[in-house]
């Protein structure tokens, strides 16, 4: 979205059309949607920006619920925006830390600032992109305690703030394509700058990608505790957040938080060091740890909780001889172990009349889509085929979800 698109969008006519055509089916009949908008008096550009917003609002409901119907988005802004329930947890961290003024540096379309403002913080949302800042201004307009500045994080004066929240940009646009920035020094702002915003009088939260290497986490001190938390929502790993100062919980160095079905469950550790579980043979049950558990390096903790062990080094499967109901993993009952050879697998699946087949793979170089074509499953029965390694052996484990 460019400046002209924003200008066309932020008009009384476009706002009226967004309300009037909120239920317009832009997917099933895109031509009809354009025709309806043109009949309502919209020119080509206005029709285009309104249709784009209607599509984005529909997608945004997964993150923002009904709040999405009163917000504006860009494609990148929506993709990178914090889910509403996660943003609320970010804001709660600052509330417990007794912060009063929070600077949201790299605010995007303003998702986290919305949560901060709703809890009564004095919020300044800052973004380096002019278009994004304009949409954040619209989204935060209902809150008198929030304002937006178009600025780069490094140039914003934090002197009067006792809280800072940062979401460094980890991608860049180059010749029409998006490229991930591997070096934290190239992030905007850099990782060192983000961590450096924490002082004795200012607490900081930094939202990072879930693949954040543990080696890049800062060292905690007696004066400045630090907590790294990996968080998943509904089985999807969404972020690693690093909390410095009063937003970090005493005695917690790292944690894995799992939000699922309206509940929140957590594994915590007082140290960044982790201890893996021993390696052994396959038991009667196989457990696939949640992404937050894997990235937070809690696999050993989970294995001990389940009375089990891992089946191969550096492959995130845990096995045990008994069934456990755990929020930290998906569980499977093992039927049998088969050679990882398509022809033998196809013959066995036909004998068992398995036509509804879920294929999972970890630690082996196969293409599940290609394997499915080779297996051609047929029948009324269902099962899960897990392609992996048990110690050093490539195997296919036929299992049922528990």
């Amino acid at each position: 979205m460019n400046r002209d698109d924003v200008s066309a969008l932020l008009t009384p006519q476009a706002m009226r059309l967004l309300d009037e055509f909120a239920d317009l089916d832009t997917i099933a009949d895109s031509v009809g949607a354009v025709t309806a908008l043109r009949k309502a008096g919209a020119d080509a550009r206005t029709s285009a920006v309104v249709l784009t917003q209607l599509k984005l609002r529909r997608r945004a409901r997964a993150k923002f619920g009904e709040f999405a119907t009163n917000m504006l988005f860009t494609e990148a802004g929506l993709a990178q925006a914090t889910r509403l329930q996660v943003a609320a947890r970010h804001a709660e961290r600052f509330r417990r830390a007794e912060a009063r003024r929070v600077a949201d540096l790299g605010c995007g379309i303003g998702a986290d600032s919305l949560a901060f403002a709703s809890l009564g913080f004095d919020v300044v949302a800052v973004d380096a992109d002019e278009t994004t800042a304009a949409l954040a201004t619209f989204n935060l307009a209902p809150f008198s305690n929030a304002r937006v500045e178009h600025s780069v994080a490094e140039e914003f004066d934090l002197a009067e703030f006792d809280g800072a929240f940062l979401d460094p940009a980890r991608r860049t646009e180059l010749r029409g394509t998006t490229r991930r920035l591997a070096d934290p020094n190239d992030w905007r702002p850099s990782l060192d700058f983000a961590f450096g915003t924490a002082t004795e009088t200012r607490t900081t939260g930094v939202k990072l990608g879930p693949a954040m290497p543990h080696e890049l986490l800062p060292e905690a001190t007696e004066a400045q505790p630090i907590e790294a938390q990996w968080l998943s929502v509904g089985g999807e790993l969404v972020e690693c957040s690093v909390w410095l100062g009063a937003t970090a919980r005493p005695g917690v160095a790292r944690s894995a938080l799992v939000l699922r079905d309206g509940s929140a469950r957590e594994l915590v550790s007082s140290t960044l060091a982790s201890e893996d579980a021993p390696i052994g043979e396959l038991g009667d049950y196989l457990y696939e740890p949640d992404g937050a558990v894997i990235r937070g390096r809690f696999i050993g903790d989970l294995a001990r909780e389940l009375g089990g062990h891992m089946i191969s080094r550096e492959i995130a499967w845990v096995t045990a001889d008994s069934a456990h109901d755990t929020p930290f993993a998906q569980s499977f009952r093992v039927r049998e172990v088969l050679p990882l050879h398509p022809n033998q697998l196809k013959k066995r699946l036909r004998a068992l009349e398995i036509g509804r087949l879920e294929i999972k793979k970890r630690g082996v170089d196969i293409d599940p889509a290609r394997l499915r074509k080779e297996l051609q499953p047929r029948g009324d029965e269902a099962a899960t085929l897990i392609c992996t390694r048990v110690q050093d052996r490539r195997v296919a484990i036929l299992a049922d979800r528990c």
Side-chain angles (χ1 to χ4, degrees), residues 108-266:
I109 53 95
D112 283 288
S113 287
L114 284 169
F116 296 143
S118 66
L119 283 189
F121 294 108
D122 182 6
V123 183
V124 178
V126 179
D127 203 275
D129 181 73
E130 184 179 16
T131 296
T132 304
L135 299 194
T137 300
F138 178 90
N139 293 335
L140 290 167
F143 296 94
S144 61
N145 55 322
R147 63 182 176 87
V148 178
E149 285 199 15
H150 172 218
S151 175
V152 296
E154 295 89 341
E155 296 177 1
F156 185 76
D157 187 0
L158 289 170
E160 297 181 3
F161 292 83
D162 54 5
F165 186 79
L166 300 94
D167 183 1
R170 298 174 290 279
R171 299 175 185 271
T172 187
E173 293 287 338
L174 182 64
R175 297 174 183 174
T177 61
T178 301
R179 181 173 63 90
R180 186 184 296 274
L181 299 170
D183 188 345
N185 292 317
D186 294 331
W187 297 353
R188 296 169 296 170
S190 70
L191 194 59
D192 286 342
F193 175 88
F195 290 155
T197 60
T199 66
E200 291 184 1
T201 58
R202 185 187 309 116
T203 187
T204 290
V206 184
K207 175 186 171 183
L208 299 167
M212 173 69 179
H214 287 234
E215 296 74 21
L216 295 181
L217 295 173
E219 291 288 338
T221 65
E222 185 175 342
Q224 186 180 83
I226 294 173
E227 175 188 349
Q229 181 177 81
W230 283 262
L231 186 150
S232 69
V233 180
E236 180 184 357
L237 182 61
V238 297
E239 72 175 33
C240 169
S241 53
V242 181
W243 303 98
L244 302 93
T247 47
R249 291 174 294 178
V252 179
R254 61 186 165 92
S255 56
L257 179 62
V258 175
L259 305 180
R260 186 189 295 270
D261 299 328
S263 66
R265 300 290 297 275
E266 188 176 31

Side-chain angles (χ1 to χ4, degrees), residues 192-364:
D192 286 342
F193 175 88
F195 290 155
T197 60
T199 66
E200 291 184 1
T201 58
R202 185 187 309 116
T203 187
T204 290
V206 184
K207 175 186 171 183
L208 299 167
M212 173 69 179
H214 287 234
E215 296 74 21
L216 295 181
L217 295 173
E219 291 288 338
T221 65
E222 185 175 342
Q224 186 180 83
I226 294 173
E227 175 188 349
Q229 181 177 81
W230 283 262
L231 186 150
S232 69
V233 180
E236 180 184 357
L237 182 61
V238 297
E239 72 175 33
C240 169
S241 53
V242 181
W243 303 98
L244 302 93
T247 47
R249 291 174 294 178
V252 179
R254 61 186 165 92
S255 56
L257 179 62
V258 175
L259 305 180
R260 186 189 295 270
D261 299 328
S263 66
R265 300 290 297 275
E266 188 176 31
L267 295 172
V268 300
S269 174
S270 61
T271 174
L272 288 177
S274 59
E275 181 181 353
D276 284 338
I279 310 298
E281 288 297 326
L282 183 65
D284 293 332
Y285 292 87
L286 195 59
Y287 296 88
E288 182 179 23
D290 183 272
V293 175
I294 296 173
R295 286 296 185 179
R297 296 183 180 174
F298 284 97
I299 298 175
D301 302 74
L302 177 62
R304 287 183 284 276
E305 181 178 303
L306 299 176
H309 52 264
M310 298 172 68
I311 61 173
S312 183
R313 194 173 305 280
E314 297 181 354
I315 299 181
W317 287 106
V318 172
T319 190
D321 289 325
S322 56
H324 297 271
D325 184 16
T326 174
F328 300 116
Q330 299 179 65
S331 56
F332 303 84
R333 183 181 62 83
V334 176
R335 285 199 202 180
E336 56 185 294
V337 181
L338 302 165
L340 189 50
H341 299 301
N343 290 337
Q344 296 182 46
L345 288 174
K346 181 177 179 179
K347 182 177 180 181
R348 184 56 177 157
L349 293 176
R350 291 288 174 86
L352 296 172
E353 298 183 344
I354 295 174
R356 290 176 288 129
L357 183 67
E358 174 189 26
I359 301 176
K360 301 179 74 67
K361 68 117 175 184
R362 182 165 290 165
V364 292

